[in-house]
Each structure stands twice: as C-alpha cells, then as structure tokens.
Amino acid sequence: MNETRTKFIFVTGGVLSGLGKGIVAASIGNILKARGHKIFMQKLDQYINYDAGTLNPGEHGEVFVTDDGAETDLDLGHYERFIDENLTKDSSIMTGRIYSDVISRERRGDFLGKTVQVIPHLTDVVKEFIVNGAKKVGADIAVVEVGGTVGDHEGFHFLEAIRQMKHDLGADNVMYCHTVFLPYLGVTKEVKTRPAQYSIRELQGIGISPDAIFCRSDHPIPQSGLEKIARAANLPVANVVPLQTASTVYEVPLTLENFGIGKVVEERLKLVPTEPNLTEWRELVGKIKSDKRKLHIGIVAKYTTMEDTYICIFEALRAAGWYHNVDVNLKWIDAEELGSPTANVGELMAGCDGYVVPGGFGIRGIEGKIKAAKYARENQIPYLGLCLGLQVAVIEFARNVLGWQDAHSTEFDETTTHPVIHIMEYQKTIINKGGTMRLGAYPAVLKKDSHAYNAYRQDEISERHRHRWEFNNQYRHDFEQAGMILSGISPSNELVELIELRDHPWFVGTQFHPEFKSRPNRPHPLFRDFIGATLKVTSLIDSVIEPQSLLVH
C-alpha cells in the first residue's frame, strides 16, 4: 500500500474545536520542509458536505480555493502559507466525498454483493485518499490533519482509518500527534490538565497512542502540568510541547523547533537527522514582531463578527505591510450599516488610509459597498476590490460617472435597464450550487502602463476565481471612454479580469481572488502595491498636515 515509502504524520485534536490544529499541522510541515523533505498536506473534515463550497462563511470561515478549483476548508490557506506550496483537491477530503465515492462503487457493483459497512469499506476509501494524495506529488512526508475532536461520532471513520494505517504501513512510517487544550481556572489561578488527560485517554481507547502532544493554552503551562500529560500519554516529557497563544501564528514553527519536535519526528519516523534552514522564517518573525508605523485599512464587509471569514485577505494585507515595514491595523466597516439611507458615510468611513471590499454573495450590504467604492473614488483614497469588490466599483461608476442611475448586477436586480454585471449564458441553465461557479486558476493578459502590469511586471498572469457574475462586455466602450481602464482581459478577450481608474492614485478591482496566492514572506503583487500606494498617499497627506500642526503649537 505504501509503495512510495511516504511517512505519515496525523494531527488530531481533543477537548474542544478551534484549538489551532491547522496551525500545528502547518508548522510541522514547515520545519520538515526546512529540512529538505517534500511535504504533502491534507485535511480530513467530518462534514457530510461534498466540499466547503456551500458552507456559510459567517459560521465556518472563508472558503479557500485551489488552482484546480477545489472549494476547501480555510486550513488549506494556512498550509499553503506555511509550506509555500500550491495544493490541490487531494488536500481537502470531506466526509460527503468519501460517502459519494463508496456509494458510486456500490452502485457499480464493485463490492460483489457484500454488505457495505463503515469498516472496512468506508475506512478503506479514506486510506486510499490519504495514500494516493501523497503518492501523486511524490511526498516524502504527508502531514494529515483530522478535523473535529476525538469523541465526535462524525469523525469515527477517519480515526479508525488512521489507526489501521500504522498496521498497514509499519510503525516506523506513521506518527500520531494530538493537540489538546488546557483551561485556566481563575478561582485557583492555575492551568488544569484533566480535560487534556481525558482526551488522551479517549484517543487511546480508539486504539491510537499519541507520539507527541501539543498543549494549547492562553496562559503559561508549568512543568508539572507537562509532566502530568506525559504520564497520561506514556511519553517522555520532551514529546509534550507547551503552545501558549503566540503574538503571531508564524512564530509557531520556531516554537516547535525550539522544543525539539523536529528531532522527535526524525527519531520516531527513522529519518536521517538534518539541520533545518529556518533563516528566512526567523527573519520574517523578527520583522513581524518589531515596532513599525501603523496603517489603517478599512474592510467593508457584511460578516464582521469573525476574522476567519476573510482570513486570507487579512493575512495578505499583513504580509504586504511587513514587506513595506509597516503594521496594518484592520478596521471593520459594516456594509449593511453603511448602506442605510440615513448613514453618515463620511463618519463611518473615516480614519482609514485605504479600503478593501472583499467578495461575497447575496444582496445584503451591497448598497453599502457601492457607497464605499464611491467614497474611495471621490476622495482619491486607495481602493482594492476583490471579486464582488470589482463588481460594486463597476456599478458605482455606471451610476455616478456614466449617469445610469438604475445600473446594477442582475444578481441583485434582474429588471435593471443597465445590467453592467450579468451572469454568463452558460451559467443560466445551472441548477446545482455546489462546484458550478467559475472556479480555480484562469489566465489574464495585462495592459501595459497599468497599475496591474506595474505590480506583476509580466504580460500574462494566472489567478484563482470563485464567482458566477461577470462584467457585461456590451458596456466596455462606455466605461473606457469615461475613464475606467480594463487592465486585465482573458486571452480569449471574453472576460474582464481587472479594472482600474485613470485619474486616481490607486483604484483597482479584480474579478479573481489574489489573496489566495499571497505568502507571509512573499506578498501578492497587488496587495503589495496597494499598501505601497496607501503609504505614498498618507505620506503626502502627512507632509501637508505636519507644518500646520507646528503652527498651532
């Protein structure tokens, strides 16, 4: 079964969800790649959805999209940022996909009349997905995160499958890592280990003995606590790592390395000991933690209660800030509140050096986002519109520059006489919602002497998409005549991919999602130049304001 001799590391979680298993898994991948190993990363998710495409981002966080068009859990974004590799649909396996595969096989008669059961049929398919995913990329080591927590009924088939893999592949080829939470009891002012011990015991009851334990806490964990957990897991205390909440998640790989987990993995999997090259990563963390000037960027959005909804955008903005040696302070601007007829737009938009309007679906908050685009355009403030952010900028321009007061997208108003954003003909007949949008990587040709071209410094680009509605080509001439530059067009000349404004410091809209390809140590060109333009504009403002303030004093 393991012809490539790939080694497998499985990361599970206990006590509660949201511990940061994805960051732990990504960090393990990071320090192993720094040792020269080819890494494959994968997320096993309990939901019976086929993929993440139809999940509510306000509840589950953003939907991350790969080059091959897979709609996945946001943890794949962490994986890509930490190991600097482009992943595929093989890295995101949801329970619905497993069941779909098994049922398809049953309908074809592949099981020869047998009763189809969780064990062995479902678990065998899980193992196939894990092994084949790693095999496709020729991975030395596969780091696989199991979603949910130990004890969840929904995740039993995944836990049983990874338990079997140690027997299938041999003890030297499989390692189990368990992430637990240590709560702090305010009354006694101590970190408690008992919930973690119960979680370890539950995992052992399934037949999995963890080889390393990662202890998450918001407070310092005493050595005595680590020793208790080591005893519960039958491990040396060196295999139990305290992970107190860090000031930046990018520090976690260095923490793991400092606690010797790299060496623990090498010993457990019988790898040739190698010193990791983490110089660039250490420099990145040093830059992140240094004192820097602050920029204030407004995020005009309708999901304003959970940062995970736009996590890739936030990380892309922060990375662009680090490139320019500034810290990006993010300010929520509620699009629904901004869209109210009685809203004081100037007051709600005040205090920001630049604005980002992210993607989204549905009419809620649309008028607020249109107002935000107008505010940025009229006040000459840098603007970056992503997917829907491009579309609202086009609608605003049509209404207030071209004078078409009823201009809209047919997504929100099918009766508009100026459908500047519309659905493509081939999309009109689609009934199913899952996996039917324009998804994944598509090319675009850039116009010379545009902000887009100056950012990328190349004629043709490839970026990831996730949308149905497009710029209506019948209005191209009108927009260009009025001062909008269509700076990125598909090679077929069919699709508008980038727009910008001629008489503006920096106003760019993208039909794609550039945030998915940004890295902490290599920011995306558009985010990098957006922050650069914002810095330039604020520096000019400062140069005007400062002399006046001196006169006052």
Side-chain angles (χ1 to χ4, degrees), residues 233-463:
N234 295 317
L235 289 174
V237 73
N239 292 37
V240 180
V241 179
L243 288 178
Q244 187 178 345
T245 300
S247 58
T248 170
V249 293
Y250 299 113
E251 193 174 7
V252 177
L254 303 181
T255 301
L256 297 192
E257 192 59 45
N258 291 341
F259 277 100
I261 280 299
K263 295 188 187 313
V264 169
V265 172
E266 287 177 333
E267 291 172 5
R268 178 65 189 79
L269 296 178
K270 300 294 190 290
L271 301 172
V272 176
T274 309
E275 283 301 312
N277 181 4
L278 289 165
T279 302
E280 184 182 5
W281 203 260
R282 293 186 192 281
E283 290 174 354
L284 168 69
V285 173
K287 181 179 286 188
I288 292 171
K289 297 177 75 171
S290 66
D291 290 332
K292 296 178 287 296
R293 173 185 168 185
K294 285 184 169 52
L295 275 183
H296 303 280
I297 301 297
I299 309 294
V300 185
K302 65 179 180 179
Y303 300 116
T304 59
T305 58
M306 186 170 70
E307 185 171 316
D308 279 353
T309 307
Y310 306 104
I311 187 67
C312 278
I313 295 172
F314 290 178
E315 293 304 321
L317 287 168
R318 288 168 179 145
W322 301 327
Y323 176 88
H324 290 286
N325 201 34
V326 296
D327 279 327
V328 174
N329 181 52
L330 302 166
K331 176 189 175 184
W332 287 115
I333 299 174
D334 190 317
E336 199 167 9
E337 183 181 0
L338 190 63
S340 168
T342 59
N344 185 326
V345 175
E347 186 176 292
L348 292 173
M349 297 287 287
C352 297
D353 304 308
Y355 299 97
V356 173
V357 175
F361 298 91
I363 196 168
R364 184 166 65 88
I366 287 300
E367 291 302 322
K369 293 183 178 185
I370 293 171
K371 287 181 180 179
K374 180 183 180 183
Y375 184 88
R377 177 180 61 80
E378 291 183 340
N379 290 280
Q380 299 283 289
I381 302 173
Y383 174 95
L384 178 58
L386 306 171
C387 198
L388 183 61
L390 172 147
Q391 296 175 7
V392 296
V394 168
I395 295 167
E396 188 281 320
F397 193 89
R399 289 181 183 180
N400 300 307
V401 177
L402 290 168
W404 303 336
Q405 292 302 310
D406 77 328
H408 222 312
S409 165
T410 55
E411 180 182 3
F412 312 120
D413 182 2
E414 294 183 354
T415 65
T416 174
T417 59
H418 293 91
V420 292
I421 303 294
H422 71 153
I423 196 164
M424 302 296 281
E425 285 300 319
Y426 78 93
Q427 283 276 344
K428 290 181 179 178
T429 58
I430 291 174
I431 298 173
N432 293 334
K433 297 299 183 186
T436 56
M437 292 183 277
R438 186 150 75 97
L439 291 166
Y442 285 83
V445 177
L446 302 182
K447 182 171 288 187
K448 295 284 179 66
D449 299 323
S450 63
H451 288 309
Y453 183 84
N454 291 338
Y456 286 97
R457 287 295 171 186
Q458 58 194 67
D459 297 322
E460 188 169 317
I461 62 170
S462 175
E463 292 285 0

Side-chain angles (χ1 to χ4, degrees), residues 7 16 43 105 139 178 220 250 255 317 339 401 442 466 513:
K7 308 282 188 176
L16 48 82
K43 173 74 179 285
R105 296 186 192 196
H178 193 48
Y250 299 113
T255 301
L317 287 168
V401 177
Y442 285 83
R466 185 175 183 257
H513 291 269

Side-chain angles (χ1 to χ4, degrees), residues 78-97:
H78 293 312
Y79 301 163
E80 287 202 0
R81 286 188 289 274
F82 276 69
I83 68 170
D84 198 11
E85 301 276 353
N86 291 336
L87 302 176
T88 68
K89 64 181 180 181
D90 295 320
S91 288
S92 180
I93 309 298
M94 282 196 167
T95 291
R97 190 169 161 195

